[in-house]
Amino acid sequence: MTEIAHGSVILYSYLWAREHKQGEESGRKTRPACVMIILRGHGGVETPLLFPITSRSPLSGRRAIAIPETEARRARLYTPAWVIVDEFNTDDLGTSFAVEDREPLGMFSRKFMARIAAGAAAAIRAGGAQAVPRR
């Protein structure tokens, strides 16, 4: 069994920010999500951010990164596909009921994860990123 780690692509019941604002507490469907582990605070507490992956072309105004075919193969995804970087869920992956399967579908490369991190950072700096806490 492979451990969920930075760069893992997992099946996750993603809760969109718009659904969260309407008072919903669980995602409507299971979808692939990219796991990014960031370190927070003085103790270096690991916090997983989960970015949704979609096969639908992103709506105008959304920040998304197209997944290259090589990365899609590594993660066992079909193309075309995009990682949405202007919103994410935070969750405790060890206890979360939203994790559909503890075995990752696959992994993105470090280089591609750096592109996702840069896109998310740009969205956060622009004030357009939305975090949805699931704990």
Side-chain angles (χ1 to χ4, degrees):
M1 185 163 145
T2 305
E3 188 82 16
I4 297 173
H6 183 79
S8 293
V9 175
I10 63 171
L11 290 176
Y12 183 77
S13 182
Y14 188 82
L15 180 61
W16 293 96
R18 68 179 180 279
E19 296 167 349
H20 179 68
K21 287 178 184 173
Q22 295 170 352
E24 295 182 40
E25 295 180 3
S26 62
R28 295 180 185 174
K29 91 174 204 184
T30 299
R31 69 174 51 255
C34 170
V35 177
M36 180 177 295
I37 307 291
I38 62 168
L39 300 178
R40 288 187 151 167
H42 298 294
V45 176
E46 288 188 349
T47 302
L49 309 181
L50 293 108
F51 293 92
I53 296 172
T54 183
S55 60
R56 288 190 183 180
S57 215
L59 298 174
S60 177
R62 295 300 306 255
R63 291 180 185 250
I65 297 176
I67 301 172
E69 288 214 22
T70 303
E71 295 295 336
R73 277 194 302 273
R74 284 185 183 121
R76 296 189 186 120
L77 300 170
Y78 295 104
T79 57
W82 293 264
V83 178
I84 305 297
V85 295
D86 60 3
E87 74 170 76
F88 53 88
N89 285 186
T90 59
D91 205 343
D92 179 347
L93 297 178
T95 61
S96 176
F97 292 109
V99 176
E100 182 75 19
D101 189 348
R102 302 271 172 214
E103 182 74 21
L105 294 172
M107 297 280 293
F108 286 145
S109 70
R110 289 182 121 153
K111 185 176 179 180
F112 188 60
M113 287 301 294
R115 285 185 55 201
I116 294 168
I124 291 167
R125 280 193 303 275
Q130 299 177 70
V132 176
R134 299 292 299 274
R135 306 176 203 203

